[in-house]
Amino acid sequence: MFQKTLVWLFISLNTIVFAQKTYQVKGVVLDAITHQPLEGVYIIGDNLHAVTSVTGEFSINGVLEGTYNFKISHISCKHKDITVIVGPDMPLIKILLDESDNKLDEIQLVGKTKKRIIKETPTVTELVSKDFLVKNRENSLMQTLSKIPGVSTIKIGSGQSKPVIRGLGFNRVVVVQNGVKHEAQQWGSDHGLEIDQYGIENIKIIKGAASLVYGSDAIAGVVDIEPNKVPLENSFKGEVNLLAESNNDLLGISLGLQKRKEKLFYRTRLTFRDYADYKVPTEKINYDNYIFTLHDHNLRNTAGTEANANFSVGYISNNVISETFISNVYAKNGFFANAHGLEVRISSIDYDASNRDIDLPYHTVNHFKVINNTSIIFNNHTLLFDIGFQNNKREEYTEPTSHGYMPKPSNTKERDFHKKTFSLNIKDTFKPNGNHIIVAGINTEYQDNNIAGWGFLIPAYNRFTIGGFAFDTFKINSDFHLLAGIRYDYGVIESKAYNDWFQSSVDNEDGSTSLIYLQRSQNKTLDFGNISASVGISYINNKTTYKANIGKSFRMPLANELASNGVNYHMYRYEKGNINLEPEESYQLDLDISHQFKNSSIGVSPFANYFENYIYLNPTSNYFQTQQIYEYTQAKVVRFGGELRATTTIFENLQLNASTEYVYSRQTSGPKKDFTLPFSPPFSTLLSANYQFNDFRFLKEPQISADFRITADQNEIVPPEEVTSGYQVLNMSFLATIAAFNKSTPLQLKLKLNNVFDTKYYNHTSFYRLIDVPEAGRNISIALTQTF
Amino acid sequence: MKTIKLGFIASLMLLLVASCSSEDDNEKDLQKPTISLNYDAGFPKACEVLTKGETYHFKAQVTDNLELAAYSIDIHNNFDHHTHDDQEATCDLGTIKDPVNPFIFIENYSIDQGLTSYEINVSITIPNTIDTGDYHCSFSVTDVTGWQSVTSMDIKIVE
């Protein structure tokens, strides 16, 4: 946070001749270090003024020929006066602004423009910058974000994880990328999020009920990966990232390029990562009464590989910005070989021959996306269109074996999930005057889900949803904002019939038995309608910001929750859907109070939440074909908790941070009354310290940081979970820049030491926790980033 | 400043209350039932050899702190050595082969209400027509809360 930021102000001024011989003064302002456009820079002259937009651009129309003085000011820079001669053939003017004297103030102020917007938004929102992502980058995007209080992950293996916000995940958290909801197999716990974490500049995280804007599923929160800012005119920029890790012998490379002429711009990013089995700080794993001896601490067959490609082309003019993104994310990951799901397996495969190969069981995931974002600005309106197509395919391969009445299958393809999603969002932002911002829009989505393979988990289904919403942000005064809105959604789910491919023995009423192909799901068409609403206020009183938001959100039941009916041998259970499930409805109250002291800040964000009918896979006492029956039921659930965060600067170069998160959940009705919810995250605190040294020889801006996570026991469990003990883990990192190739774009170096003491601990929300596999051991990683 | 302080104190209290109230007023059943064959009459023991055409009494002792609910017995072939049992003994397994007409026994039973201790006793006749070789036998039991325990053993069926 203390790094010197050299702020360049680059203004290209050009003119367009009008009939009345007036000219348009156009320009753009950017930060030279981060190459991010600077928003909120004031360009003030005699009766002329402009403020730079999100893209850093500004224009002043109707300027007559002559000489003008402009004052250029930005809160993080020293003011500067410039003189511009407006007329035909104006020269291009470049202005270099000096940074402010106090580095600390400058950083705080740079952040404030963005922070100010967040402060004025009544929803409890967290902005994640590229800087945070670079400094905290872990093996997957969600692991990186789990440093944010209130955000955690459900993960499997070293590189795959799904978002959890305040204890809720899967289909209760929406991930949005470039304006379109990411649609994959969110319901499954044994794979991760198909998004390349390189090249992301801004993420907005909403902790709380957000169906109003994001529709069904945004019941617990949203991870909104925003489109990157448009590159500057006549610019070309590139970035190479290299990464190596010791724990799983990972090698990664990512290359990003972007270019803009005048109106057309292009961006591309290619990422490739390959890693071996990861190491755990134990020689053997005790699961139930089984003992698996590990070879060289390697968690057998957890190697993986990932290849991603993104390309986009965009067009920008005064009134229109349009960008089309094409991306493909591919991953192949092995699963721990000694247990498949909960089932202990023996294989003749020599897993220990190499720690880099991927044997059975493994899966492949491919996610292809085409998205177009187009925004049109006219009068006081900004009209935004998001059109998307996504094709998600996940295939799981296992050594076949017989189970129950199922004979040994002839091939290794156990599961195949194939989802195609078409999305169309239209949104209009209307600013009738300075006090209101009215947003109205519709979201539509059509999904076509197909299944294949010999294992049945979820039926094939089609789903169509449409929702309309409107909300108003009312500026009561500059420090007091009110947001209120309402939404209605309608959805249809059409689940498809599925019969076993093998016969099972069934007892008839007359005492005889017959062999039949059991039906696991039926042809059913169900429709749902639901209202969401939200009201919130934000009040800024000098250095204190208060927020309060109350909202109602909902989630449509999934096809497996409604219609599944079969044995999941993976988890040793018989899963029974319930066709009578109602859409989940949740009411949530969020508060957020933050205060800025001279050298420190403190914030607290408590919440209270009530689910009318939380959908939950309840383990019953009964059996079907010797498998315990788990039945989808709905229960009332009360949850509350929150996060505390504090930051202080002891002296100029030392910064301390502390954050704490806590969630309490309780089912207040139904068969598991008084129990918590599955995968409840434990009480956890993160303490971190960051110290910046003076430049040392070739190392510029060297800084060292330490993160110490203290997590309490998780004794709040629900069958079939196990209690998980608390733990403490220390991570260290060292960052510096080296002027290796170019002084203005130095090489960025990051050394990281995760799990310094090679502590053996269990993560309550890890899929492998179920089979008593501890978290990864010590890891040393080196990351290099060179921009050009 | 006062309102800030009050706000913070109120929020801190809320978090404190939240952390303290995790001590439950209502007793929750957090214990799994137990299942054991480690007594004289327990059957089959690990590596037991069963003969085709014979009838055997499969016996296990199950207990629970609150109330037992149901149990199941599953016998399936292990001709491909896909898994092993959770008993301490290691049995000699035969050669890997493909099943032709393997023995499949899949049955569920309920336990009378109100019991915390029960002896499973199921008589099973091994059919004459099935494949001989390595088999797996597993017992599972549930309690009224929905907790389950499973135990399994390698057995062999011979002519």
Side-chain angles (χ1 to χ4, degrees), chain A residues 133-195:
Chain A
L133 293 171
V134 168
K135 283 186 176 165
N136 296 288
R137 183 162 284 147
E138 296 289 338
N139 256 332
S140 71
L141 176 63
M142 285 319 304
Q143 283 168 34
T144 309
L145 296 180
S146 66
K147 263 191 149 180
I148 294 164
V151 179
S152 57
T153 64
I154 285 182
K155 62 173 181 172
I156 183 161
S158 59
Q160 304 176 78
S161 45
K162 295 200 168 183
V164 174
I165 294 177
R166 289 168 166 170
L168 298 181
F170 302 108
N171 282 68
R172 293 185 182 89
V173 170
V174 164
V175 177
V176 172
Q177 191 178 23
N178 297 328
V180 171
K181 194 172 153 193
H182 185 78
E183 282 290 357
Q185 316 295 337
Q186 292 100 313
W187 53 275
S189 58
D190 50 1
H191 55 103
L193 193 61
E194 306 84 350
I195 286 176

Side-chain angles (χ1 to χ4, degrees), chain A residues 93-121:
Chain A
I93 304 166
K94 271 189 188 176
I95 302 153
L96 172 61
L97 278 196
D98 296 320
E99 59 180 303
S100 295
D101 293 336
N102 189 324
K103 281 183 282 176
L104 177 67
D105 284 354
E106 177 191 272
I107 296 300
Q108 285 177 337
L109 289 164
V110 167
K112 241 176 199 170
T113 41
K114 271 185 188 170
K115 272 186 188 164
R116 176 77 195 188
I117 299 163
I118 288 300
K119 275 184 175 179
E120 290 177 0
T121 309

Side-chain angles (χ1 to χ4, degrees), chain A residues 285-344:
Chain A
I285 285 161
N286 284 295
Y287 164 52
D288 259 349
N289 295 316
Y290 304 101
I291 295 170
F292 314 128
T293 310
L294 299 181
H295 177 253
D296 196 21
H297 300 275
N298 288 326
L299 197 65
R300 208 158 271 135
N301 201 43
T302 54
T305 186
E306 191 185 316
N308 310 321
N310 297 274
F311 177 75
S312 80
V313 54
Y315 171 84
I316 182 166
S317 71
N318 277 350
N319 302 324
V320 176
I321 303 176
S322 179
E323 187 166 12
T324 303
F325 305 87
I326 301 169
S327 69
N328 196 70
V329 172
Y330 170 83
K332 179 177 176 182
N333 305 88
F335 291 123
F336 180 47
N338 290 91
H340 187 45
L342 301 183
E343 186 193 14
V344 175

Side-chain angles (χ1 to χ4, degrees), chain A residues 288-292 343-348 400-406 408 507 541 544 546 569 572 591 593-595 597 602-604 606-607 618-628 630 640-644 660 662 664 666 671-676 683 715-723, chain B residues 1-8 11-12 14-15 17-30 32 69-77 80-87 93 96-99 104-110 136 138-152:
Chain A
D288 259 349
N289 295 316
Y290 304 101
I291 295 170
F292 314 128
E343 186 193 14
V344 175
R345 295 296 288 267
I346 288 181
S347 171
S348 56
T401 185
S402 61
H403 269 301
Y405 293 108
M406 181 182 82
K408 185 173 170 171
D507 293 330
N541 182 11
T544 311
Y546 302 87
Y569 283 107
Y572 274 135
L591 300 175
I593 307 163
S594 58
H595 182 73
F597 297 96
I602 184 165
V604 61
F607 76 96
N618 172 45
T620 71
S621 305
N622 304 318
Y623 284 104
F624 175 85
Q625 287 187 2
T626 75
Q627 300 295 324
Q628 191 180 1
Y630 279 57
F640 52 85
E643 299 86 37
L644 268 173
T660 274
Y662 178 74
Y664 173 81
R666 176 184 278 211
K672 291 293 178 286
K673 188 170 182 292
D674 295 329
F675 278 91
T676 185
F683 180 72
N715 296 317
E716 285 289 315
I717 53 165
V718 59
E721 290 181 343
E722 306 247 2
V723 165
Chain B
M1 262 328 258
K2 260 190 178 164
T3 45
I4 302 164
K5 277 184 185 162
L6 273 175
F8 275 121
S11 316
L12 280 169
L14 192 72
L15 271 176
V17 169
S19 21
C20 293
S21 62
S22 59
E23 300 301 321
D24 283 311
D25 327 310
N26 301 30
E27 276 292 301
K28 276 179 302 196
D29 175 25
L30 294 175
K32 288 182 180 183
Y71 65 96
S72 74
I73 298 176
D74 178 302
I75 302 171
H76 60 269
N77 80 78
D80 59 357
H81 300 179
H82 69 275
T83 184
H84 58 95
D85 65 8
D86 57 2
Q87 308 295 307
L93 297 178
I96 289 175
K97 62 177 184 178
D98 283 324
I104 300 176
F105 185 87
I106 291 176
E107 288 298 331
N108 315 315
Y109 310 88
S110 58
H136 244 270
S138 71
F139 291 77
S140 37
V141 61
T142 55
D143 69 9
V144 285
T145 313
W147 291 105
Q148 178 182 231
S149 287
V150 182
T151 189
S152 65

